Amino acid sequence: MKCLSPSLLSADFAVLGDQVALIDEAGAQYVHIDVMDGVFVPSISFGLPVIRSIRPLTERIFDVHLMITEPDRYIDEFAEAGADLLTVHAEACTHLDRTVQRIKEKGILAGVAINPATPVETLSCILGEVDMVLVMSVNPGFGGQKLIPYTVDKIRQVRSLLNRRGLKADIEVDGGVTLENVDQVTQAGANIIVAGSAVFNGDVREIGRAHV
Ligand code: DX5
Ligand code: ZN
């Protein structure tokens, strides 16, 4: 099944609660929450207090994408704030296995993200330990960028690695996904689709109807 994970980064923060309700009503299964620290990526977005305040507004899966250095330091707090799925970047973790195990010990789902220029082979050892692989289709840090075409082939590579090893992890694609290219990424093997600007600048219901 294909799932949509609208990214709050493109939401109107002045009415964030209403935007969460909109995602909920539109039937998206996930809420994608981009946490940026201004170090791992150039931008600073928002963090724990925002997640805590929107948590009571919906039962949708909180898909928290940590674009921060040393994510280990915050696993407990993000789990307690209400993350259901916590994704860390392979590039930000010196001891990726330890980080993934710590996330799972909190009783939540663990995801690992790779940037466009990080080879899929980086995941070969950890693949059997994760619930989700996030293939970044733009360089992280900003919403509204264009999908980098070669990343579609990376989705295909991850899917075939998973199939070959009989693993059931989800593949999420994040960055520059629009109604025009969503079929391309799902055909390559992605089953969780992040969309920020395409959802909040367009019609969330349209994407929801067409592809969820
Ligand atoms: C980028 C973030 C994305 C971003 C996607 O660093 O991880 O989740 O919000 O936004 P769009 O869909 O506009 O590319
Ligand atoms: Zn993201």
Side-chain angles (χ1 to χ4, degrees), residues 7-10 32 34 36 41 65 67 134 136 138-146 174-177 194-198:
S7 166
L8 287 183
L9 197 62
S10 297
H32 188 80
D34 286 306
M36 303 178 175
V41 289
H65 177 192
M67 286 164 276
L134 195 180
M136 285 304 304
V138 298
N139 289 299
F142 308 95
Q145 304 181 78
K146 277 205 167 12
D174 183 7
V177 180
V194 176
S197 44

mmCIF file with all atom_site columns, all heavy atoms in Angstrom, residues 7-10 32 34 36 41 65 67 134 136 138-146 174-177 194-198, ligand 1:
data_model
loop_
_atom_site.group_PDB
_atom_site.id
_atom_site.type_symbol
_atom_site.label_atom_id
_atom_site.label_alt_id
_atom_site.label_comp_id
_atom_site.label_asym_id
_atom_site.label_entity_id
_atom_site.label_seq_id
_atom_site.pdbx_PDB_ins_code
_atom_site.Cartn_x
_atom_site.Cartn_y
_atom_site.Cartn_z
_atom_site.occupancy
_atom_site.B_iso_or_equiv
_atom_site.pdbx_formal_charge
_atom_site.auth_seq_id
_atom_site.auth_comp_id
_atom_site.auth_asym_id
_atom_site.auth_atom_id
_atom_site.pdbx_PDB_model_num
ATOM   1   N N   . SER A 1 7   ? 4.568  16.895 4.567   1.00 0.00 ? 7   SER A N   1
ATOM   2   C CA  . SER A 1 7   ? 5.585  17.530 5.397   1.00 0.00 ? 7   SER A CA  1
ATOM   3   C C   . SER A 1 7   ? 5.106  18.871 5.925   1.00 0.00 ? 7   SER A C   1
ATOM   4   O O   . SER A 1 7   ? 4.753  19.776 5.154   1.00 0.00 ? 7   SER A O   1
ATOM   5   C CB  . SER A 1 7   ? 6.856  17.746 4.579   1.00 0.00 ? 7   SER A CB  1
ATOM   6   O OG  . SER A 1 7   ? 7.693  18.639 5.284   1.00 0.00 ? 7   SER A OG  1
ATOM   7   N N   . LEU A 1 8   ? 5.147  19.001 7.232   1.00 0.00 ? 8   LEU A N   1
ATOM   8   C CA  . LEU A 1 8   ? 4.685  20.234 7.878   1.00 0.00 ? 8   LEU A CA  1
ATOM   9   C C   . LEU A 1 8   ? 5.588  21.431 7.597   1.00 0.00 ? 8   LEU A C   1
ATOM   10  O O   . LEU A 1 8   ? 5.210  22.568 7.877   1.00 0.00 ? 8   LEU A O   1
ATOM   11  C CB  . LEU A 1 8   ? 4.609  20.027 9.399   1.00 0.00 ? 8   LEU A CB  1
ATOM   12  C CG  . LEU A 1 8   ? 3.460  19.165 9.915   1.00 0.00 ? 8   LEU A CG  1
ATOM   13  C CD1 . LEU A 1 8   ? 3.499  19.129 11.436  1.00 0.00 ? 8   LEU A CD1 1
ATOM   14  C CD2 . LEU A 1 8   ? 2.111  19.675 9.430   1.00 0.00 ? 8   LEU A CD2 1
ATOM   15  N N   . LEU A 1 9   ? 6.774  21.155 7.036   1.00 0.00 ? 9   LEU A N   1
ATOM   16  C CA  . LEU A 1 9   ? 7.698  22.254 6.767   1.00 0.00 ? 9   LEU A CA  1
ATOM   17  C C   . LEU A 1 9   ? 7.061  23.313 5.857   1.00 0.00 ? 9   LEU A C   1
ATOM   18  O O   . LEU A 1 9   ? 7.383  24.496 5.959   1.00 0.00 ? 9   LEU A O   1
ATOM   19  C CB  . LEU A 1 9   ? 8.958  21.681 6.104   1.00 0.00 ? 9   LEU A CB  1
ATOM   20  C CG  . LEU A 1 9   ? 10.196 22.549 6.085   1.00 0.00 ? 9   LEU A CG  1
ATOM   21  C CD1 . LEU A 1 9   ? 10.662 22.862 7.505   1.00 0.00 ? 9   LEU A CD1 1
ATOM   22  C CD2 . LEU A 1 9   ? 11.327 21.846 5.321   1.00 0.00 ? 9   LEU A CD2 1
ATOM   23  N N   . SER A 1 10  ? 6.163  22.882 4.997   1.00 0.00 ? 10  SER A N   1
ATOM   24  C CA  . SER A 1 10  ? 5.523  23.825 4.077   1.00 0.00 ? 10  SER A CA  1
ATOM   25  C C   . SER A 1 10  ? 4.174  24.328 4.601   1.00 0.00 ? 10  SER A C   1
ATOM   26  O O   . SER A 1 10  ? 3.460  25.033 3.892   1.00 0.00 ? 10  SER A O   1
ATOM   27  C CB  . SER A 1 10  ? 5.303  23.169 2.704   1.00 0.00 ? 10  SER A CB  1
ATOM   28  O OG  . SER A 1 10  ? 6.536  22.845 2.130   1.00 0.00 ? 10  SER A OG  1
ATOM   29  N N   . HIS A 1 32  ? 4.687  14.114 8.325   1.00 0.00 ? 32  HIS A N   1
ATOM   30  C CA  . HIS A 1 32  ? 6.149  14.180 8.237   1.00 0.00 ? 32  HIS A CA  1
ATOM   31  C C   . HIS A 1 32  ? 6.628  15.447 8.931   1.00 0.00 ? 32  HIS A C   1
ATOM   32  O O   . HIS A 1 32  ? 6.205  16.557 8.602   1.00 0.00 ? 32  HIS A O   1
ATOM   33  C CB  . HIS A 1 32  ? 6.574  14.168 6.767   1.00 0.00 ? 32  HIS A CB  1
ATOM   34  C CG  . HIS A 1 32  ? 8.045  14.032 6.558   1.00 0.00 ? 32  HIS A CG  1
ATOM   35  N ND1 . HIS A 1 32  ? 8.708  12.824 6.636   1.00 0.00 ? 32  HIS A ND1 1
ATOM   36  C CD2 . HIS A 1 32  ? 8.998  14.957 6.270   1.00 0.00 ? 32  HIS A CD2 1
ATOM   37  C CE1 . HIS A 1 32  ? 10.001 13.008 6.388   1.00 0.00 ? 32  HIS A CE1 1
ATOM   38  N NE2 . HIS A 1 32  ? 10.210 14.303 6.171   1.00 0.00 ? 32  HIS A NE2 1
ATOM   39  N N   . ASP A 1 34  ? 9.860  17.624 9.952   1.00 0.00 ? 34  ASP A N   1
ATOM   40  C CA  . ASP A 1 34  ? 11.266 17.858 9.618   1.00 0.00 ? 34  ASP A CA  1
ATOM   41  C C   . ASP A 1 34  ? 11.943 18.684 10.701  1.00 0.00 ? 34  ASP A C   1
ATOM   42  O O   . ASP A 1 34  ? 11.660 19.867 10.856  1.00 0.00 ? 34  ASP A O   1
ATOM   43  C CB  . ASP A 1 34  ? 11.346 18.619 8.290   1.00 0.00 ? 34  ASP A CB  1
ATOM   44  C CG  . ASP A 1 34  ? 11.033 17.732 7.099   1.00 0.00 ? 34  ASP A CG  1
ATOM   45  O OD1 . ASP A 1 34  ? 11.680 16.682 6.954   1.00 0.00 ? 34  ASP A OD1 1
ATOM   46  O OD2 . ASP A 1 34  ? 10.128 18.094 6.318   1.00 0.00 ? 34  ASP A OD2 1
ATOM   47  N N   . MET A 1 36  ? 15.326 20.365 11.910  1.00 0.00 ? 36  MET A N   1
ATOM   48  C CA  . MET A 1 36  ? 16.610 20.813 11.349  1.00 0.00 ? 36  MET A CA  1
ATOM   49  C C   . MET A 1 36  ? 17.352 21.658 12.375  1.00 0.00 ? 36  MET A C   1
ATOM   50  O O   . MET A 1 36  ? 16.748 22.524 13.012  1.00 0.00 ? 36  MET A O   1
ATOM   51  C CB  . MET A 1 36  ? 16.364 21.668 10.113  1.00 0.00 ? 36  MET A CB  1
ATOM   52  C CG  . MET A 1 36  ? 15.564 20.981 9.035   1.00 0.00 ? 36  MET A CG  1
ATOM   53  S SD  . MET A 1 36  ? 15.312 22.130 7.677   1.00 0.00 ? 36  MET A SD  1
ATOM   54  C CE  . MET A 1 36  ? 14.507 21.073 6.489   1.00 0.00 ? 36  MET A CE  1
ATOM   55  N N   . VAL A 1 41  ? 22.142 20.538 8.463   1.00 0.00 ? 41  VAL A N   1
ATOM   56  C CA  . VAL A 1 41  ? 21.584 21.203 7.274   1.00 0.00 ? 41  VAL A CA  1
ATOM   57  C C   . VAL A 1 41  ? 21.607 22.709 7.539   1.00 0.00 ? 41  VAL A C   1
ATOM   58  O O   . VAL A 1 41  ? 21.665 23.134 8.707   1.00 0.00 ? 41  VAL A O   1
ATOM   59  C CB  . VAL A 1 41  ? 20.131 20.728 6.987   1.00 0.00 ? 41  VAL A CB  1
ATOM   60  C CG1 . VAL A 1 41  ? 20.109 19.303 6.473   1.00 0.00 ? 41  VAL A CG1 1
ATOM   61  C CG2 . VAL A 1 41  ? 19.241 20.881 8.213   1.00 0.00 ? 41  VAL A CG2 1
ATOM   62  N N   . HIS A 1 65  ? 11.640 13.230 11.002  1.00 0.00 ? 65  HIS A N   1
ATOM   63  C CA  . HIS A 1 65  ? 12.867 13.174 10.194  1.00 0.00 ? 65  HIS A CA  1
ATOM   64  C C   . HIS A 1 65  ? 13.895 14.095 10.847  1.00 0.00 ? 65  HIS A C   1
ATOM   65  O O   . HIS A 1 65  ? 13.789 15.320 10.750  1.00 0.00 ? 65  HIS A O   1
ATOM   66  C CB  . HIS A 1 65  ? 12.504 13.627 8.761   1.00 0.00 ? 65  HIS A CB  1
ATOM   67  C CG  . HIS A 1 65  ? 13.655 13.696 7.817   1.00 0.00 ? 65  HIS A CG  1
ATOM   68  N ND1 . HIS A 1 65  ? 13.561 14.301 6.582   1.00 0.00 ? 65  HIS A ND1 1
ATOM   69  C CD2 . HIS A 1 65  ? 14.933 13.224 7.903   1.00 0.00 ? 65  HIS A CD2 1
ATOM   70  C CE1 . HIS A 1 65  ? 14.727 14.207 5.946   1.00 0.00 ? 65  HIS A CE1 1
ATOM   71  N NE2 . HIS A 1 65  ? 15.578 13.568 6.739   1.00 0.00 ? 65  HIS A NE2 1
ATOM   72  N N   . MET A 1 67  ? 17.120 15.909 10.958  1.00 0.00 ? 67  MET A N   1
ATOM   73  C CA  . MET A 1 67  ? 18.276 16.398 10.184  1.00 0.00 ? 67  MET A CA  1
ATOM   74  C C   . MET A 1 67  ? 19.154 17.166 11.159  1.00 0.00 ? 67  MET A C   1
ATOM   75  O O   . MET A 1 67  ? 19.248 18.399 11.127  1.00 0.00 ? 67  MET A O   1
ATOM   76  C CB  . MET A 1 67  ? 17.776 17.271 9.026   1.00 0.00 ? 67  MET A CB  1
ATOM   77  C CG  . MET A 1 67  ? 17.160 16.455 7.909   1.00 0.00 ? 67  MET A CG  1
ATOM   78  S SD  . MET A 1 67  ? 16.177 17.436 6.780   1.00 0.00 ? 67  MET A SD  1
ATOM   79  C CE  . MET A 1 67  ? 14.625 17.473 7.677   1.00 0.00 ? 67  MET A CE  1
ATOM   80  N N   . LEU A 1 134 ? 14.825 5.940  4.245   1.00 0.00 ? 134 LEU A N   1
ATOM   81  C CA  . LEU A 1 134 ? 14.387 7.199  3.634   1.00 0.00 ? 134 LEU A CA  1
ATOM   82  C C   . LEU A 1 134 ? 15.412 7.585  2.567   1.00 0.00 ? 134 LEU A C   1
ATOM   83  O O   . LEU A 1 134 ? 16.566 7.862  2.904   1.00 0.00 ? 134 LEU A O   1
ATOM   84  C CB  . LEU A 1 134 ? 14.292 8.299  4.703   1.00 0.00 ? 134 LEU A CB  1
ATOM   85  C CG  . LEU A 1 134 ? 13.529 9.581  4.370   1.00 0.00 ? 134 LEU A CG  1
ATOM   86  C CD1 . LEU A 1 134 ? 13.555 10.515 5.562   1.00 0.00 ? 134 LEU A CD1 1
ATOM   87  C CD2 . LEU A 1 134 ? 14.021 10.298 3.160   1.00 0.00 ? 134 LEU A CD2 1
ATOM   88  N N   . MET A 1 136 ? 16.587 10.291 0.285   1.00 0.00 ? 136 MET A N   1
ATOM   89  C CA  . MET A 1 136 ? 16.424 11.733 0.026   1.00 0.00 ? 136 MET A CA  1
ATOM   90  C C   . MET A 1 136 ? 16.536 11.968 -1.481  1.00 0.00 ? 136 MET A C   1
ATOM   91  O O   . MET A 1 136 ? 17.506 11.555 -2.107  1.00 0.00 ? 136 MET A O   1
ATOM   92  C CB  . MET A 1 136 ? 17.514 12.543 0.740   1.00 0.00 ? 136 MET A CB  1
ATOM   93  C CG  . MET A 1 136 ? 17.344 12.693 2.235   1.00 0.00 ? 136 MET A CG  1
ATOM   94  S SD  . MET A 1 136 ? 15.780 13.399 2.802   1.00 0.00 ? 136 MET A SD  1
ATOM   95  C CE  . MET A 1 136 ? 15.705 14.972 1.943   1.00 0.00 ? 136 MET A CE  1
ATOM   96  N N   . VAL A 1 138 ? 16.230 15.135 -2.669  1.00 0.00 ? 138 VAL A N   1
ATOM   97  C CA  . VAL A 1 138 ? 16.841 16.475 -2.779  1.00 0.00 ? 138 VAL A CA  1
ATOM   98  C C   . VAL A 1 138 ? 17.907 16.543 -1.686  1.00 0.00 ? 138 VAL A C   1
ATOM   99  O O   . VAL A 1 138 ? 17.907 15.714 -0.768  1.00 0.00 ? 138 VAL A O   1
ATOM   100 C CB  . VAL A 1 138 ? 15.825 17.634 -2.549  1.00 0.00 ? 138 VAL A CB  1
ATOM   101 C CG1 . VAL A 1 138 ? 14.718 17.613 -3.584  1.00 0.00 ? 138 VAL A CG1 1
ATOM   102 C CG2 . VAL A 1 138 ? 15.236 17.590 -1.125  1.00 0.00 ? 138 VAL A CG2 1
ATOM   103 N N   . ASN A 1 139 ? 18.783 17.515 -1.768  1.00 0.00 ? 139 ASN A N   1
ATOM   104 C CA  . ASN A 1 139 ? 19.712 17.738 -0.654  1.00 0.00 ? 139 ASN A CA  1
ATOM   105 C C   . ASN A 1 139 ? 18.899 18.349 0.484   1.00 0.00 ? 139 ASN A C   1
ATOM   106 O O   . ASN A 1 139 ? 18.218 19.362 0.291   1.00 0.00 ? 139 ASN A O   1
ATOM   107 C CB  . ASN A 1 139 ? 20.838 18.667 -1.090  1.00 0.00 ? 139 ASN A CB  1
ATOM   108 C CG  . ASN A 1 139 ? 21.776 17.967 -2.061  1.00 0.00 ? 139 ASN A CG  1
ATOM   109 O OD1 . ASN A 1 139 ? 22.395 16.967 -1.722  1.00 0.00 ? 139 ASN A OD1 1
ATOM   110 N ND2 . ASN A 1 139 ? 21.844 18.471 -3.282  1.00 0.00 ? 139 ASN A ND2 1
ATOM   111 N N   . PRO A 1 140 ? 18.942 17.727 1.669   1.00 0.00 ? 140 PRO A N   1
ATOM   112 C CA  . PRO A 1 140 ? 18.049 18.172 2.729   1.00 0.00 ? 140 PRO A CA  1
ATOM   113 C C   . PRO A 1 140 ? 18.340 19.598 3.197   1.00 0.00 ? 140 PRO A C   1
ATOM   114 O O   . PRO A 1 140 ? 19.457 20.079 3.096   1.00 0.00 ? 140 PRO A O   1
ATOM   115 C CB  . PRO A 1 140 ? 18.301 17.165 3.848   1.00 0.00 ? 140 PRO A CB  1
ATOM   116 C CG  . PRO A 1 140 ? 19.651 16.603 3.586   1.00 0.00 ? 140 PRO A CG  1
ATOM   117 C CD  . PRO A 1 140 ? 19.818 16.628 2.100   1.00 0.00 ? 140 PRO A CD  1
ATOM   118 N N   . GLY A 1 141 ? 17.316 20.240 3.702   1.00 0.00 ? 141 GLY A N   1
ATOM   119 C CA  . GLY A 1 141 ? 17.489 21.586 4.260   1.00 0.00 ? 141 GLY A CA  1
ATOM   120 C C   . GLY A 1 141 ? 16.386 22.544 3.874   1.00 0.00 ? 141 GLY A C   1
ATOM   121 O O   . GLY A 1 141 ? 16.120 23.497 4.601   1.00 0.00 ? 141 GLY A O   1
ATOM   122 N N   . PHE A 1 142 ? 15.725 22.269 2.764   1.00 0.00 ? 142 PHE A N   1
ATOM   123 C CA  . PHE A 1 142 ? 14.696 23.206 2.290   1.00 0.00 ? 142 PHE A CA  1
ATOM   124 C C   . PHE A 1 142 ? 13.562 22.445 1.613   1.00 0.00 ? 142 PHE A C   1
ATOM   125 O O   . PHE A 1 142 ? 13.809 21.433 0.956   1.00 0.00 ? 142 PHE A O   1
ATOM   126 C CB  . PHE A 1 142 ? 15.281 24.178 1.252   1.00 0.00 ? 142 PHE A CB  1
ATOM   127 C CG  . PHE A 1 142 ? 16.531 24.864 1.732   1.00 0.00 ? 142 PHE A CG  1
ATOM   128 C CD1 . PHE A 1 142 ? 17.782 24.360 1.414   1.00 0.00 ? 142 PHE A CD1 1
ATOM   129 C CD2 . PHE A 1 142 ? 16.449 26.006 2.523   1.00 0.00 ? 142 PHE A CD2 1
ATOM   130 C CE1 . PHE A 1 142 ? 18.938 24.968 1.868   1.00 0.00 ? 142 PHE A CE1 1
ATOM   131 C CE2 . PHE A 1 142 ? 17.605 26.618 2.982   1.00 0.00 ? 142 PHE A CE2 1
ATOM   132 C CZ  . PHE A 1 142 ? 18.851 26.108 2.657   1.00 0.00 ? 142 PHE A CZ  1
ATOM   133 N N   . GLY A 1 143 ? 12.369 22.992 1.746   1.00 0.00 ? 143 GLY A N   1
ATOM   134 C CA  . GLY A 1 143 ? 11.244 22.484 0.966   1.00 0.00 ? 143 GLY A CA  1
ATOM   135 C C   . GLY A 1 143 ? 11.263 23.158 -0.402  1.00 0.00 ? 143 GLY A C   1
ATOM   136 O O   . GLY A 1 143 ? 12.022 24.102 -0.640  1.00 0.00 ? 143 GLY A O   1
ATOM   137 N N   . GLY A 1 144 ? 10.443 22.648 -1.300  1.00 0.00 ? 144 GLY A N   1
ATOM   138 C CA  . GLY A 1 144 ? 10.241 23.308 -2.580  1.00 0.00 ? 144 GLY A CA  1
ATOM   139 C C   . GLY A 1 144 ? 11.362 23.154 -3.596  1.00 0.00 ? 144 GLY A C   1
ATOM   140 O O   . GLY A 1 144 ? 11.421 23.901 -4.574  1.00 0.00 ? 144 GLY A O   1
ATOM   141 N N   . GLN A 1 145 ? 12.264 22.179 -3.401  1.00 0.00 ? 145 GLN A N   1
ATOM   142 C CA  . GLN A 1 145 ? 13.325 21.967 -4.389  1.00 0.00 ? 145 GLN A CA  1
ATOM   143 C C   . GLN A 1 145 ? 12.869 20.951 -5.452  1.00 0.00 ? 145 GLN A C   1
ATOM   144 O O   . GLN A 1 145 ? 11.866 20.273 -5.276  1.00 0.00 ? 145 GLN A O   1
ATOM   145 C CB  . GLN A 1 145 ? 14.590 21.414 -3.703  1.00 0.00 ? 145 GLN A CB  1
ATOM   146 C CG  . GLN A 1 145 ? 15.115 22.267 -2.565  1.00 0.00 ? 145 GLN A CG  1
ATOM   147 C CD  . GLN A 1 145 ? 16.378 21.642 -1.976  1.00 0.00 ? 145 GLN A CD  1
ATOM   148 O OE1 . GLN A 1 145 ? 17.461 21.740 -2.533  1.00 0.00 ? 145 GLN A OE1 1
ATOM   149 N NE2 . GLN A 1 145 ? 16.229 20.973 -0.824  1.00 0.00 ? 145 GLN A NE2 1
ATOM   150 N N   . LYS A 1 146 ? 13.670 20.831 -6.488  1.00 0.00 ? 146 LYS A N   1
ATOM   151 C CA  . LYS A 1 146 ? 13.353 19.870 -7.561  1.00 0.00 ? 146 LYS A CA  1
ATOM   152 C C   . LYS A 1 146 ? 13.981 18.513 -7.264  1.00 0.00 ? 146 LYS A C   1
ATOM   153 O O   . LYS A 1 146 ? 15.131 18.445 -6.827  1.00 0.00 ? 146 LYS A O   1
ATOM   154 C CB  . LYS A 1 146 ? 13.946 20.361 -8.889  1.00 0.00 ? 146 LYS A CB  1
ATOM   155 C CG  . LYS A 1 146 ? 13.077 21.362 -9.607  1.00 0.00 ? 146 LYS A CG  1
ATOM   156 C CD  . LYS A 1 146 ? 13.366 21.330 -11.115 1.00 0.00 ? 146 LYS A CD  1
ATOM   157 C CE  . LYS A 1 146 ? 12.336 22.069 -11.944 1.00 0.00 ? 146 LYS A CE  1
ATOM   158 N NZ  . LYS A 1 146 ? 11.397 22.901 -11.240 1.00 0.00 ? 146 LYS A NZ  1
ATOM   159 N N   . ASP A 1 174 ? 11.691 11.464 -0.182  1.00 0.00 ? 174 ASP A N   1
ATOM   160 C CA  . ASP A 1 174 ? 11.473 12.797 0.406   1.00 0.00 ? 174 ASP A CA  1
ATOM   161 C C   . ASP A 1 174 ? 12.203 13.865 -0.404  1.00 0.00 ? 174 ASP A C   1
ATOM   162 O O   . ASP A 1 174 ? 13.435 13.858 -0.468  1.00 0.00 ? 174 ASP A O   1
ATOM   163 C CB  . ASP A 1 174 ? 11.997 12.774 1.852   1.00 0.00 ? 174 ASP A CB  1
ATOM   164 C CG  . ASP A 1 174 ? 11.753 14.078 2.593   1.00 0.00 ? 174 ASP A CG  1
ATOM   165 O OD1 . ASP A 1 174 ? 11.072 14.968 2.053   1.00 0.00 ? 174 ASP A OD1 1
ATOM   166 O OD2 . ASP A 1 174 ? 12.252 14.190 3.739   1.00 0.00 ? 174 ASP A OD2 1
ATOM   167 N N   . GLY A 1 175 ? 11.408 14.764 -0.986  1.00 0.00 ? 175 GLY A N   1
ATOM   168 C CA  . GLY A 1 175 ? 11.976 15.924 -1.646  1.00 0.00 ? 175 GLY A CA  1
ATOM   169 C C   . GLY A 1 175 ? 11.572 16.044 -3.103  1.00 0.00 ? 175 GLY A C   1
ATOM   170 O O   . GLY A 1 175 ? 11.880 15.174 -3.917  1.00 0.00 ? 175 GLY A O   1
ATOM   171 N N   . GLY A 1 176 ? 10.847 17.105 -3.394  1.00 0.00 ? 176 GLY A N   1
ATOM   172 C CA  . GLY A 1 176 ? 10.521 17.401 -4.790  1.00 0.00 ? 176 GLY A CA  1
ATOM   173 C C   . GLY A 1 176 ? 9.497  16.479 -5.418  1.00 0.00 ? 176 GLY A C   1
ATOM   174 O O   . GLY A 1 176 ? 9.398  16.399 -6.644  1.00 0.00 ? 176 GLY A O   1
ATOM   175 N N   . VAL A 1 177 ? 8.724  15.770 -4.593  1.00 0.00 ? 177 VAL A N   1
ATOM   176 C CA  . VAL A 1 177 ? 7.710  14.880 -5.169  1.00 0.00 ? 177 VAL A CA  1
ATOM   177 C C   . VAL A 1 177 ? 6.458  15.696 -5.506  1.00 0.00 ? 177 VAL A C   1
ATOM   178 O O   . VAL A 1 177 ? 5.970  16.481 -4.685  1.00 0.00 ? 177 VAL A O   1
ATOM   179 C CB  . VAL A 1 177 ? 7.366  13.704 -4.220  1.00 0.00 ? 177 VAL A CB  1
ATOM   180 C CG1 . VAL A 1 177 ? 6.305  12.807 -4.844  1.00 0.00 ? 177 VAL A CG1 1
ATOM   181 C CG2 . VAL A 1 177 ? 8.617  12.896 -3.895  1.00 0.00 ? 177 VAL A CG2 1
ATOM   182 N N   . VAL A 1 194 ? 6.675  11.430 0.817   1.00 0.00 ? 194 VAL A N   1
ATOM   183 C CA  . VAL A 1 194 ? 6.650  12.722 1.524   1.00 0.00 ? 194 VAL A CA  1
ATOM   184 C C   . VAL A 1 194 ? 6.346  13.794 0.483   1.00 0.00 ? 194 VAL A C   1
ATOM   185 O O   . VAL A 1 194 ? 6.899  13.768 -0.622  1.00 0.00 ? 194 VAL A O   1
ATOM   186 C CB  . VAL A 1 194 ? 8.011  13.024 2.188   1.00 0.00 ? 194 VAL A CB  1
ATOM   187 C CG1 . VAL A 1 194 ? 7.991  14.410 2.840   1.00 0.00 ? 194 VAL A CG1 1
ATOM   188 C CG2 . VAL A 1 194 ? 8.347  11.956 3.216   1.00 0.00 ? 194 VAL A CG2 1
ATOM   189 N N   . ALA A 1 195 ? 5.486  14.718 0.850   1.00 0.00 ? 195 ALA A N   1
ATOM   190 C CA  . ALA A 1 195 ? 5.255  15.862 -0.042  1.00 0.00 ? 195 ALA A CA  1
ATOM   191 C C   . ALA A 1 195 ? 4.954  17.069 0.830   1.00 0.00 ? 195 ALA A C   1
ATOM   192 O O   . ALA A 1 195 ? 4.086  17.015 1.708   1.00 0.00 ? 195 ALA A O   1
ATOM   193 C CB  . ALA A 1 195 ? 4.096  15.575 -0.987  1.00 0.00 ? 195 ALA A CB  1
ATOM   194 N N   . GLY A 1 196 ? 5.718  18.116 0.633   1.00 0.00 ? 196 GLY A N   1
ATOM   195 C CA  . GLY A 1 196 ? 5.532  19.344 1.408   1.00 0.00 ? 196 GLY A CA  1
ATOM   196 C C   . GLY A 1 196 ? 4.847  20.387 0.568   1.00 0.00 ? 196 GLY A C   1
ATOM   197 O O   . GLY A 1 196 ? 3.631  20.604 0.679   1.00 0.00 ? 196 GLY A O   1
ATOM   198 N N   . SER A 1 197 ? 5.614  21.023 -0.313  1.00 0.00 ? 197 SER A N   1
ATOM   199 C CA  . SER A 1 197 ? 5.036  22.111 -1.099  1.00 0.00 ? 197 SER A CA  1
ATOM   200 C C   . SER A 1 197 ? 3.893  21.617 -1.988  1.00 0.00 ? 197 SER A C   1
ATOM   201 O O   . SER A 1 197 ? 2.892  22.324 -2.163  1.00 0.00 ? 197 SER A O   1
ATOM   202 C CB  . SER A 1 197 ? 6.119  22.811 -1.918  1.00 0.00 ? 197 SER A CB  1
ATOM   203 O OG  . SER A 1 197 ? 6.967  21.878 -2.523  1.00 0.00 ? 197 SER A OG  1
ATOM   204 N N   . ALA A 1 198 ? 4.015  20.391 -2.530  1.00 0.00 ? 198 ALA A N   1
ATOM   205 C CA  . ALA A 1 198 ? 2.943  19.904 -3.416  1.00 0.00 ? 198 ALA A CA  1
ATOM   206 C C   . ALA A 1 198 ? 1.624  19.772 -2.655  1.00 0.00 ? 198 ALA A C   1
ATOM   207 O O   . ALA A 1 198 ? 0.549  19.945 -3.228  1.00 0.00 ? 198 ALA A O   1
ATOM   208 C CB  . ALA A 1 198 ? 3.326  18.562 -4.024  1.00 0.00 ? 198 ALA A CB  1
HETATM 209 C C1  . DX5 B 2 .   ? 13.789 18.624 3.018   1.00 0.00 ? 1   DX5 B C1  1
HETATM 210 C C2  . DX5 B 2 .   ? 12.778 17.959 3.911   1.00 0.00 ? 1   DX5 B C2  1
HETATM 211 C C3  . DX5 B 2 .   ? 11.534 17.605 3.197   1.00 0.00 ? 1   DX5 B C3  1
HETATM 212 C C4  . DX5 B 2 .   ? 10.776 18.775 2.630   1.00 0.00 ? 1   DX5 B C4  1
HETATM 213 C C5  . DX5 B 2 .   ? 10.025 18.262 1.442   1.00 0.00 ? 1   DX5 B C5  1
HETATM 214 O O1  . DX5 B 2 .   ? 14.986 18.743 3.689   1.00 0.00 ? 1   DX5 B O1  1
HETATM 215 O O2  . DX5 B 2 .   ? 13.295 16.775 4.475   1.00 0.00 ? 1   DX5 B O2  1
HETATM 216 O O3  . DX5 B 2 .   ? 10.698 16.787 3.994   1.00 0.00 ? 1   DX5 B O3  1
HETATM 217 O O4  . DX5 B 2 .   ? 9.877  19.352 3.515   1.00 0.00 ? 1   DX5 B O4  1
HETATM 218 O O5  . DX5 B 2 .   ? 9.417  19.349 0.827   1.00 0.00 ? 1   DX5 B O5  1
HETATM 219 P P1  . DX5 B 2 .   ? 9.029  19.320 -0.706  1.00 0.00 ? 1   DX5 B P1  1
HETATM 220 O O6  . DX5 B 2 .   ? 8.015  18.246 -0.884  1.00 0.00 ? 1   DX5 B O6  1
HETATM 221 O O7  . DX5 B 2 .   ? 8.494  20.687 -0.934  1.00 0.00 ? 1   DX5 B O7  1
HETATM 222 O O8  . DX5 B 2 .   ? 10.295 19.054 -1.484  1.00 0.00 ? 1   DX5 B O8  1
#
